[in-house]
Structure formats: structure tokens, C-alpha cells
Amino acid sequence: MTLDHYKLLGRSGLRVSPLSLGTMTFGSDWGWGADGDEARRIFDLYVDRGGNFVDTSVNYTDGRAERLLGTFIGDKRERIVLATKFTMAREPGNPNSGGNHRLNMVRSVEQSLTQLGTDRIDLLYLHAWDMTTRPDEVMRALDDLVRTGKVLYLGICNTPAWRVAQMQTLADIRGWSPFVALQIEYSLVERTVEHELLPTAAALGLGVLPWSPLGGGVLTGKYSRADVEDSQEATVSASRKGVIASSGHLNGRAIEIADEVRAVAEEANSTPSRVALAWTLTNPTVVSPIIGARTLAQAEDNLGALDLVLTPEQLDRLNRISAPSPVFPARFTQRPLVQQLIFGGAATERRD
């Protein structure tokens, strides 16, 4: 597989690379990202290899990520599928500068268009469910943006599966623009999305874009049990380790999984980062994991995942050590007794 072996994004006909370039690391404004020159080198590497799918947000590094992207893209604009997000507050203390309501949605899009120096957003994500705005307001406002031509396709991130299904159904019934993409955290240290969100995406025509496929860096092997920490900080940490600690992934189980990833990497004559990324690519609902490199060397390493093929035995080991605990109702309905009661012992073809 190569970056120019393009895949279809969900129910759309949009062609995107099998790895997306994330830009939360573009700009040093948060204390740990790449400076402008290094970010430019990472962008050029990705595009020169045939990559066309770039992911950002109106608030990444306080808007600097979008401004940098706007200068990098230049005359390559028609080659790039440009995705950005709204929801997160753009002005601390202003309650309407964040959220999913129409006012913030429109103002965020206007700000992104200015920061990116473009006339359209190819894919606009709702960044997270805000627990306040009604679904019909969100979907109608998103459809209005598509009708203006400022936005072409829609996606959603970090939202419960039942809410995604509700909103997608609402769009289909009313003839509004549907979601074509679902961006969620997914990695060997975060597999609980397999219970509801991944099946929802498959059933409703959403291509899955995993963020943090390296578990925030835990799966690269850079941390040990001595680094285990759980941070409850509400602000973005000035250190990368602090950011990971606040995500909850610096725990003993994650380190155990990372140790197995390292062992598989040694067997495969590869690197832990490549193994972790290659694992996500084996899931058929996954379209394009998002890589978030801070250095050119990290970007080179991540892109090498496209060349790695894990053996069935290696995949089984990774799956077993990272398997999420079952949840209700599957925990109940998949038990042999309940299966016997449902099917009466008859051999019957199943659907998910």
C-alpha cells in the first residue's frame, strides 16, 4: 500500500490517502509542537509521497496550525482534501465561541476559511458532542453550510454511537447532507469503540478516521512503568507526556500492551510505531488513520507502516493482549445459554 493508493471515504465518492496527515503538532504555541520550518518539511514529505488528506481544526495551536497550512498548501490546493473541525471554544470566557450551535458553527467556519486562506472546506467535522445543542439544529445548520458551497462533506468526532445514529437518520429522512466520516480515538490501547461506534460507522456509511493510533505515543515504546501517571489537568499541558497523562493512557495496562508491540516490531524488523499503525489498518471500517508527527523522522517512520504486513500469529497476539472487556448487551447475548435460547440449537446464518 502507498499514499497514492486512494480509498473511498464512507458513502461518498471522495478519494483519500490511507494515512491522513494530522496537524495538531503544527506550531509550537502549546509548548511541544513542530516549529514552522519542521512542519513544512513534514507537510512536503507527505504530499510528495502522494498524500492528499490533511486534518486540522480551528483551534489547533490557537489557530496557528491552520495558518501554517494555508501557507504550505499554496498552488497544491486542488490536490488536497482539506478537513477541519468546529466546536472547541475560540475565545476563552465567551460562551458562544464554542459549542455545536449554529452561531459558533458559522463563525468557526468563517475563521477557518480565513486562517486557511481558502474558499471552501472539503470535510467539516463536528469536533465533539456539546451536550447542549439539539440534533436538528446541528444537522440543518450543517446542511445550510453545504448548500452555500463553503463546506462540501460532513463528519463527526467524539460523539456517542446512539447520537451519531440519531443524527444520521435525521439527515437521511429530511434529505439533508449526511455524515460521511467518523473520527474517533482508536488504537491498541483504546478499543472500546469496537463495541458500538465502529459497527455504527459500518452500518451508516461512515468512513472511520482513527486519531491517536499510537495511543498518544505510548505505543512507540517511549514510556515505561516508571512513567505511569494519571493527570486530571483541565488545561493543555506544556509537555507531551503531560498531555498523554491527562488522556488517561499512561497506565500499567497500556505499558503492557506497548511491550508486546515492541516485541512484535523486533520480530518483524520494524518499529513499534509502524506495528501499531499497521494494526489499525487491518480493520475494514478504518479508512485513514491520522498520523501526528512532531519531527520529519517521526513522519518517515509512520509512513513506513504502509509497507508492513503483520502475520496472523502477530495479529492474534496483539488482539489478545489488548482485547476490551465485553459490555452489555453483547456480554449477555453472546453467552452460550442465551444463544441456545435465541436459536433453539438450530444452525442459523447470523448478521451483526
Side-chain angles (χ1 to χ4, degrees):
M1 194 185 304
T2 59
L3 282 177
D4 57 0
H5 186 143
Y6 303 108
K7 303 173 77 172
L8 296 179
L9 182 59
R11 61 165 73 180
S12 80
L14 196 61
R15 293 93 169 194
V16 298
S17 293
L19 287 176
S20 305
L21 179 63
T23 64
M24 195 170 118
T25 55
F26 280 19
S28 54
D29 303 62
W30 287 351
W32 41 261
D35 64 25
D37 290 340
E38 188 74 350
R40 179 61 185 258
R41 286 188 282 269
I42 293 168
F43 175 85
D44 287 345
L45 171 71
Y46 177 77
V47 174
D48 290 346
R49 296 277 181 89
N52 77 336
F53 200 12
V54 182
D55 180 89
T56 190
S57 175
V58 67
N59 69 303
Y60 283 171
T61 51
D62 299 328
R64 182 156 175 77
E66 286 193 337
R67 290 192 292 272
L68 286 171
L69 265 183
T71 63
F72 298 165
I73 289 174
D75 60 3
K76 300 182 180 72
R77 180 65 185 92
E78 295 309 312
R79 294 175 51 192
I80 301 297
V81 176
L82 187 54
T84 192
K85 311 177 193 74
F86 80 97
T87 297
M88 305 308 181
R90 295 169 292 105
E91 181 186 344
N94 179 354
N96 286 315
S97 75
N100 298 328
H101 52 88
R102 184 185 289 265
L103 175 59
N104 184 54
M105 184 189 303
V106 171
R107 296 297 290 163
S108 292
V109 165
E110 291 172 346
Q111 184 170 331
S112 284
L113 291 173
T114 298
Q115 290 178 168
L116 291 163
T118 187
D119 63 348
R120 73 178 191 276
I121 294 165
D122 299 323
L123 174 62
L124 178 68
Y125 289 103
L126 181 151
H127 205 160
W129 188 243
D130 69 1
M131 296 165 285
T132 54
T133 311
R134 286 175 54 91
D136 55 341
E137 178 180 346
V138 174
M139 297 311 294
R140 177 55 196 271
L142 286 171
D143 184 66
D144 285 346
L145 283 172
V146 173
R147 291 174 189 271
T148 67
K150 292 180 179 180
V151 172
L152 303 186
Y153 293 96
L154 303 174
I156 189 166
C157 316
N158 311 317
T159 298
W162 72 268
R163 183 69 81 181
V164 174
Q166 178 193 34
M167 297 167 78
Q168 188 77 322
T169 301
L170 184 62
D172 285 343
I173 289 174
R174 297 192 176 177
W176 296 339
S177 300
F179 295 127
V180 301
L182 176 68
Q183 189 175 139
I184 50 176
E185 185 177 7
Y186 184 46
S187 72
L188 281 161
V189 297
E190 176 44 82
R191 292 183 58 189
T192 60
V193 294
E194 293 176 7
H195 293 312
E196 298 287 347
L197 281 160
L198 291 187
T200 295
L204 299 179
L206 284 72
V208 173
L209 298 306
W211 61 263
S212 201
L214 302 182
V218 173
L219 295 172
T220 67
K222 67 173 64 175
Y223 300 112
S224 69
R225 283 171 175 76
D227 295 304
V228 170
E229 177 186 351
D230 183 23
S231 170
Q232 299 297 322
E233 287 291 327
T235 57
V236 178
S237 174
S239 73
R240 190 61 177 161
K241 179 182 176 182
V243 171
I244 306 312
S246 66
S247 76
H249 283 326
L250 267 182
N251 57 61
R253 183 170 186 270
I255 299 300
E256 182 182 9
I257 295 169
D259 289 343
E260 188 67 28
V261 170
R262 185 188 300 110
V264 169
E266 290 174 357
E267 290 178 11
N269 194 28
S270 188
T271 67
S273 297
R274 294 179 183 183
V275 169
L277 280 164
W279 177 86
T280 67
L281 288 165
T282 63
N283 191 305
T285 63
V286 168
V287 173
S288 185
I290 300 168
I291 59 174
R294 290 183 293 116
T295 67
L296 187 65
Q298 289 176 349
E300 282 272 16
D301 185 28
N302 290 344
L303 294 180
L306 296 174
D307 299 322
L308 178 62
V309 178
L310 298 171
T311 68
E313 187 271 338
Q314 289 166 342
L315 286 171
D316 181 63
R317 284 163 52 193
L318 294 171
N319 285 330
R320 279 189 285 110
I321 198 167
S322 64
S325 299
V327 297
F328 185 87
R331 179 196 56 76
F332 170 70
T333 59
Q334 296 305 311
R335 300 292 296 179
L337 170 62
V338 182
Q339 290 287 297
Q340 167 69 19
L341 293 171
I342 292 172
F343 295 102
T348 307
E349 181 181 0
R350 312 294 173 87
R351 292 193 182 99
D352 291 334

